[in-house]
Amino acid sequence: MKEGVILLEHGSGGQASARLLREVILPHLGEVPLLDSAVLKDFSASLAFTTDSFVVDPIFFPGGDIGSLAVHGTVNDLAMVGATPLFLSVAFILEEGFPLKLFSRVVASLGEAARKAGVRVVCGDTKVVPKGKGDKIFINTSGIGILKGDFVLSPSRIKEGDRVIVSGPIAEHGLCVLAAREDLGLEGLKSDSQPLHRVTEAFLSRFGPEIKVLRDPTRGGVAAVLHEFAEATGLSFILEEEKIPLRPEVKAGCELLGLDPLYLACEGRLVAVVTREIAEEAASFLRRFPEGQGACVVGEVTRERFPLILQTCYGGLRPVPPLAGEPLPRIC
Amino acid sequence: MKEGVILLEHGSGGQASARLLREVILPHLGEVPLLDSAVLKDFSASLAFTTDSFVVDPIFFPGGDIGSLAVHGTVNDLAMVGATPLFLSVAFILEEGFPLKLFSRVVASLGEAARKAGVRVVCGDTKVVPKGKGDKIFINTSGIGILKGDFVLSPSRIKEGDRVIVSGPIAEHGLCVLAAREDLGLEGLKSDSQPLHRVTEAFLSRFGPEIKVLRDPTRGGVAAVLHEFAEATGLSFILEEEKIPLRPEVKAGCELLGLDPLYLACEGRLVAVVTREIAEEAASFLRRFPEGQGACVVGEVTRERFPLILQTCYGGLRPVPPLAGEPLPRIC
């Protein structure tokens, strides 16, 4: 079966659908049959619920693919509100003619990412659209997690004087996907896509309400996250350019292409706003985790005329405007 | 803004995304801002979790549209496991160039369907793909519901002698969407799309474990549901053709097009397998609800050589094979 391609009948709900499920999808997603509705027994908790569709192009890129990304993206959305991710739904929209071999590779990667993250895929759906009405494969994952903390992470808790931490080198996922899609010949790039819930759990348990808010800087990058916080609070954020962690390959690629890394997506980094008192200790705590290598304090919360300001390496101050337009479509 | 079309930048995570959310999406989906992750407080229950993507073509059809369908489909998946639907996620994949006026109409319809069904849209996502890489709009909804019963609805509980009930005239959604797409000029068709959770709650509360299993016959129709049950149990299902409720316009349309209504999708009907003892009373109970008008006992569980058999109006017996191929793509 894996030599063929996706046919419209794979989305029919009939025999071909059943076979696709049995032979291509379920072997990678564990023992539990993917029913229409999964039953999750005996909860007694506050829950977090999230959804994300993934339309990344190309579907395979250095460091990941649309399958692993669909797990990490949703796991991280749950992690950012302080939840422990438990369950995922997975819904595929497949284009007629998509090779089953590639589909199988994506599902295998998705299943492996879920296992590594310790989340269970408990329900699913597969639709097929005619050739030319989709693009190979789109994946939606929705996720449920359990909330443990007794405080709510929220930009509304940010105060003047708080510090901004990033958990590692930024901008690499976005640049890597762009380079792979346009075949730009940039060397040494690899998506930063990874699950962050283990590090956020440890981080929150160590520093509690000293952590004001967490966010993963995906579409629109670190700049979009800080503009969102600025809008929510009326405060400003000032970043020190020389402290922003950037791998040399990413720095070189951005300079070559004239892209500002502050706008480029990460899929395995977090932005944290924390109190001034714990900032350096918090960054050092994050660096102890593989997911937090390169974490550092990059800026602070202040009151200025502009919501987001970069203090450049040369000492000047440059406003970073909100993202207008779409420099990098389909990076997730 | 509503005079324009969807642009790639509406999926950027930047200003255009925020504006689309604020001006077009949120006004129809209630007060709560659609955050990446919604927080659902203090659960103490067993939950049901489900996901479905909707790629129906055309997106507007008599009796509904992709927005209302995306609510009903997921609400019904939860209802069929005996859950009370509470929360929905909504994820849009939009094609560049899709008119904002139509998008707004779809979101309004989705919001209205959610309000009428008493479910809250609590989280969402919007992606945009370049023109020609999608088809106007695809919607994924995932849903969370609370399970109340102390028994699990499952085909494994079906026994020889049980009866099969359908809750109303079948096949109309599938035929209606096909007729609208191909402009077949069939008159008087209207999708049966509607939420079924209120009737299933009452039904389960009245008859309890006498109800073995419920299923909404969507893709693949009543035949697909009964083939699934046959495969799960090793039993056979025999249907009496003259008892299967069918509106005259649907019957005529199926005859004209050579389609078997047993394979055509409903989006507002249920198939129930119940004990022989309660079957007639159960059908009569369902008929008291607007959603159950036309409910009747249509068949029984038996042991035969074929999994699904139709006793025709002329008294003959005809095996109904499992659905092979895809007669009707993109009806949901």
Side-chain angles (χ1 to χ4, degrees):
Chain A
M1 178 168 188
K2 289 190 189 163
E3 298 308 306
V5 299
I6 290 289
L7 306 171
L8 282 176
E9 66 193 63
H10 287 123
S12 66
Q15 286 182 304
S17 295
R19 214 175 144 204
L20 185 74
L21 191 62
R22 204 171 51 234
E23 297 184 20
V24 182
I25 300 178
L26 289 184
H28 298 300
L29 300 184
E31 304 298 304
V32 186
L34 259 68
L35 298 171
D36 276 346
S37 285
V39 170
L40 315 174
K41 291 238 165 166
D42 299 327
F43 268 94
S44 189
S46 288
L47 299 178
F49 182 30
T50 190
T51 191
D52 242 331
S53 293
F54 296 84
V55 298
V56 63
D57 172 33
I59 60 173
F60 300 99
F61 46 82
D65 57 66
I66 192 170
S68 56
L69 189 64
V71 171
H72 299 158
T74 291
V75 159
N76 290 347
D77 278 349
L78 292 171
M80 294 307 129
V81 296
T84 301
L86 290 184
F87 303 108
L88 289 187
S89 65
V90 175
F92 300 108
I93 298 177
L94 305 175
E95 185 189 12
E96 182 187 18
F98 182 53
L100 280 165
K101 204 176 267 182
L102 297 184
F103 180 48
S104 179
R105 220 176 114 192
V106 168
V107 180
S109 165
L110 188 153
E112 194 194 345
R115 269 189 303 282
K116 282 188 180 167
V119 293
R120 279 177 52 207
V121 176
V122 292
C123 55
D125 178 56
T126 305
K127 294 291 191 303
V128 179
V129 294
K131 200 162 177 63
K133 301 292 186 183
D135 194 14
K136 302 181 199 71
I137 177 169
F138 301 146
I139 304 180
N140 177 282
T141 50
S142 300
I144 296 177
I146 282 192
L147 282 160
K148 285 174 180 163
D150 49 1
F151 64 98
V152 174
L153 294 163
S154 162
S156 66
R157 299 175 59 241
I158 298 174
K159 297 263 183 296
E160 199 174 338
D162 284 346
R163 296 296 193 264
V164 179
I165 292 174
V166 297
S167 65
I170 66 164
E172 189 152 3
H173 174 79
L175 189 65
C176 163
V177 168
L178 177 73
R181 178 164 65 225
E182 308 295 340
D183 205 6
L184 296 178
L186 298 178
E187 299 287 325
L189 295 175
K190 188 175 165 216
S191 167
D192 48 49
S193 174
Q194 63 178 342
L196 294 170
H197 59 299
R198 294 193 178 99
V199 71
T200 54
E201 278 167 42
F203 193 48
L204 287 166
S205 138
R206 171 71 185 79
F207 294 102
E210 301 286 314
I211 301 168
K212 305 299 187 74
V213 65
L214 300 173
R215 194 76 89 238
D216 51 338
T218 57
R219 282 184 289 177
V222 170
V225 166
L226 295 179
H227 270 289
E228 182 208 326
F229 293 170
E231 189 165 342
T233 58
L235 295 166
S236 305
F237 292 80
I238 187 158
L239 296 176
E240 288 186 64
E241 187 172 26
E242 66 180 7
K243 293 202 177 155
I244 296 169
L246 218 49
R247 294 214 311 115
E249 293 86 346
V250 176
K251 189 159 193 275
C254 284
E255 281 170 4
L256 191 71
L257 300 170
L259 294 169
D260 185 337
L262 286 175
Y263 294 116
L264 297 187
C266 313
E267 290 286 348
R269 304 288 179 243
L270 63 85
V271 173
V273 181
V274 304
T275 59
R276 185 173 54 82
E277 290 72 19
I278 65 145
E280 288 301 338
E281 191 192 342
S284 136
F285 180 87
L286 288 173
R287 285 195 294 272
R288 283 191 241 148
F289 293 81
E291 303 95 317
Q293 292 294 323
C296 51
V297 181
V298 295
E300 66 177 275
V301 183
T302 173
R303 285 184 194 276
E304 297 286 342
R305 279 183 51 207
F306 297 102
L308 181 56
I309 296 163
L310 188 69
Q311 179 162 11
T312 68
C313 301
Y314 312 105
L317 293 177
R318 174 167 77 75
V320 181
L323 181 66
E326 171 54 302
L328 290 176
R330 298 184 70 186
I331 47 75
C332 63
Chain B
M1 178 170 188
K2 288 188 188 165
E3 298 308 305
V5 299
I6 290 289
L7 306 171
L8 282 176
E9 65 192 63
H10 287 123
S12 66
Q15 285 181 305
S17 296
R19 216 176 142 201
L20 185 75
L21 190 62
R22 203 170 53 232
E23 297 183 18
V24 183
I25 300 178
L26 289 185
H28 299 300
L29 300 183
E31 304 299 304
V32 186
L34 259 70
L35 298 171
D36 277 346
S37 286
V39 169
L40 315 174
K41 290 238 163 164
D42 299 327
F43 269 95
S44 187
S46 287
L47 299 179
F49 182 31
T50 190
T51 192
D52 241 331
S53 294
F54 296 84
V55 299
V56 64
D57 173 32
I59 59 173
F60 300 100
F61 46 82
D65 57 66
I66 192 170
S68 56
L69 189 65
V71 171
H72 299 159
T74 291
V75 159
N76 290 346
D77 277 350
L78 292 170
M80 294 307 129
V81 296
T84 301
L86 291 184
F87 302 107
L88 288 187
S89 65
V90 174
F92 301 106
I93 298 176
L94 305 175
E95 185 189 11
E96 182 188 16
F98 182 52
L100 279 165
K101 205 176 266 182
L102 297 184
F103 179 48
S104 179
R105 219 175 115 191
V106 168
V107 180
S109 166
L110 188 152
E112 194 195 343
R115 269 189 302 282
K116 283 188 178 166
V119 293
R120 276 178 54 207
V121 176
V122 293
C123 55
D125 178 54
T126 304
K127 294 290 192 303
V128 179
V129 294
K131 200 162 178 59
K133 300 294 186 182
D135 193 13
K136 301 180 200 71
I137 176 169
F138 301 146
I139 304 180
N140 177 282
T141 50
S142 300
I144 296 178
I146 282 193
L147 283 160
K148 284 173 181 165
D150 49 358
F151 64 98
V152 174
L153 294 163
S154 161
S156 66
R157 299 173 60 240
I158 299 174
K159 297 264 183 295
E160 199 174 339
D162 285 345
R163 296 296 192 264
V164 179
I165 293 174
V166 298
S167 65
I170 65 165
E172 190 153 1
H173 174 78
L175 189 64
C176 163
V177 169
L178 178 71
R181 179 165 63 226
E182 308 296 340
D183 205 6
L184 296 177
L186 298 178
E187 299 287 324
L189 295 175
K190 187 174 165 217
S191 168
D192 47 49
S193 174
Q194 62 178 342
L196 294 170
H197 59 301
R198 294 194 179 99
V199 71
T200 54
E201 278 167 41
F203 193 48
L204 288 165
S205 139
R206 170 71 185 81
F207 294 101
E210 301 286 315
I211 302 168
K212 305 301 187 71
V213 66
L214 300 173
R215 195 76 88 237
D216 52 338
T218 57
R219 281 184 289 178
V222 171
V225 167
L226 295 180
H227 270 290
E228 183 208 325
F229 292 169
E231 189 165 340
T233 58
L235 295 165
S236 304
F237 293 80
I238 186 157
L239 295 176
E240 289 186 63
E241 188 173 25
E242 65 181 5
K243 293 202 176 156
I244 295 169
L246 219 49
R247 293 214 312 114
E249 292 86 347
V250 176
K251 190 158 192 274
C254 284
E255 280 170 5
L256 190 73
L257 300 171
L259 293 169
D260 186 336
L262 286 175
Y263 293 117
L264 297 188
C266 313
E267 290 286 348
R269 305 287 178 242
L270 62 85
V271 174
V273 181
V274 305
T275 59
R276 185 173 54 79
E277 290 72 19
I278 65 144
E280 288 300 340
E281 191 192 341
S284 137
F285 181 87
L286 288 173
R287 284 194 295 271
R288 282 191 242 151
F289 293 81
E291 303 95 317
Q293 291 295 322
C296 51
V297 181
V298 295
E300 65 177 276
V301 183
T302 173
R303 284 185 195 277
E304 298 286 341
R305 278 183 53 208
F306 297 101
L308 180 57
I309 296 163
L310 189 69
Q311 180 163 8
T312 68
C313 302
Y314 313 104
L317 293 176
R318 175 168 76 74
V320 181
L323 181 67
E326 171 54 302
L328 290 176
R330 299 186 68 188
I331 46 76
C332 62

